[in-house]
Each structure stands twice: as structure tokens, then as C-alpha cells.
């Protein structure tokens, strides 16, 4: 998923404010699922939401106003009730890795009780085989 960095994304120093990357990662995860035929909204309507339970982030280089960046998402692990993805924000102009992260989400239902991942989500998260 590609998008441009706007003034609202930056801090007083003119670089992307660190917390904005959490939103960038969220958008990347939603689009990753959408590309695989799933809607986060429809999953939520069926009683499955996916809160983040763990996140690791490495800030390597700053993104600045007007940069075109890309969020890349890959599945690292799929469990019974959770999954982990690796995500990167890369500057499109030169392919430079700006931020890398690892995010674990758990499937919960009513009352925030963990529940099994839906079958269609597991299928969407599995690597494509030729």
C-alpha cells in the first residue's frame, strides 16, 4: 500500500511523528486482508475483532513531508487464536527501509474472550502455493 506523507503526519522537527507509524501499520494490515478478499468490518460484524497484543518497532530512518512510502506486510506466524505479521515502511524513491515492526493480534469475541481464528482468515493468511 503506497501513500504520501502529509504535514499532519509530521512533528515539530519536520519528520513523521513516531506514533503515526502505528496507524500506517494498521492501514497496511487492513489493506493486506482486503487484497485477500476479507473485510475487517465484516469480520467485526460477525463477532471477531483483532486487538493488537504485542508490537515491536525499529525506527531506522525518518520519513519526511511529501515522501511517498509503502507499507509492506507479511505473515510470520498463525496460531489457533492469534497471528503475527511483519511490517515495514519503505520510502518508494530509493527503497530505503524506514521502520520495521512485528505485530501480534488475537481474535476476540464478545466480552473480549479469545476465540479461534475464522477459517477464511486462516486461509487468507497462509502462503500462496503455486
Amino acid at each position: 500500500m503506497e501513500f504520501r506523507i502529509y504535514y499532519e503526519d509530521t512533528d515539530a522537527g519536520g519528520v513523521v511523528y513516531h506514533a503515526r507509524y502505528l496507524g500506517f501499520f494498521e492501514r497496511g494490515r487492513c489493506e493486506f486482508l482486503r487484497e485477500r478478499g476479507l473485510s475487517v468490518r465484516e469480520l467485526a460484524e460477525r463477532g471477531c475483532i483483532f486487538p493488537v497484543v504485542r508490537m515491536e518497532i525499529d525506527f531506522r530512518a525518518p520519513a519526511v513531508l511529501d515522501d511517498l512510502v509503502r507499507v509492506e506486510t507479511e505473515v510470520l506466524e498463525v496460531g489457533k487464536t492469534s497471528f503475527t505479521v511483519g511490517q515495514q515502511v519503505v520510502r518508494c524513491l530509493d527503497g530505503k527501509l524506514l521502520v520495521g515492526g512485528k505485530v501480534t493480534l488475537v481474535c476476540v469475541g464478545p466480552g473480549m474472550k479469545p476465540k479461534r481464528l475464522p477459517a477464511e482468515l486462516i486461509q487468507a493468511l497462509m502462503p500462496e502455493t503455486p
Side-chain angles (χ1 to χ4, degrees):
M1 177 189 88
E2 290 185 0
F3 59 94
R4 183 120 1 235
I5 299 299
Y6 292 102
Y7 186 76
E8 69 181 359
D9 298 316
T10 62
D11 63 14
V15 300
V16 171
Y17 180 64
H18 70 277
R20 296 292 289 163
Y21 290 101
L22 303 180
F24 298 166
F25 280 2
E26 178 74 26
R27 289 185 217 167
R29 290 190 303 275
C30 289
E31 291 304 318
F32 177 85
L33 293 175
R34 186 183 314 279
E35 290 169 1
R36 286 156 180 76
L38 293 177
S39 162
V40 173
R41 180 183 54 93
E42 289 173 6
L43 289 166
E45 289 171 353
R46 293 192 348 233
C48 295
I49 59 172
F50 302 92
V52 170
V53 295
R54 180 167 173 74
M55 183 176 280
E56 299 173 35
I57 300 177
D58 294 312
F59 298 93
R60 300 181 182 273
V64 297
L65 181 64
D66 213 35
D67 274 351
L68 183 64
V69 297
R70 176 178 63 251
V71 177
E72 300 173 350
T73 302
E74 67 173 328
V75 177
L76 301 176
E77 186 178 341
V78 178
K80 292 179 183 175
T81 61
S82 66
F83 63 99
T84 301
V85 295
Q87 294 190 274
Q88 298 182 335
V89 176
V90 176
R91 187 169 41 232
C92 293
L93 179 65
D94 58 6
K96 183 169 184 66
L97 172 62
L98 305 176
V99 177
K102 186 173 165 181
V103 184
T104 301
L105 303 99
V106 66
C107 181
V108 299
M112 298 298 282
K113 293 181 78 173
K115 62 189 285 186
R116 286 191 172 271
L117 296 175
E120 66 269 28
L121 177 62
I122 293 172
Q123 183 176 359
L125 294 172
M126 293 309 209
E128 295 179 21
T129 54

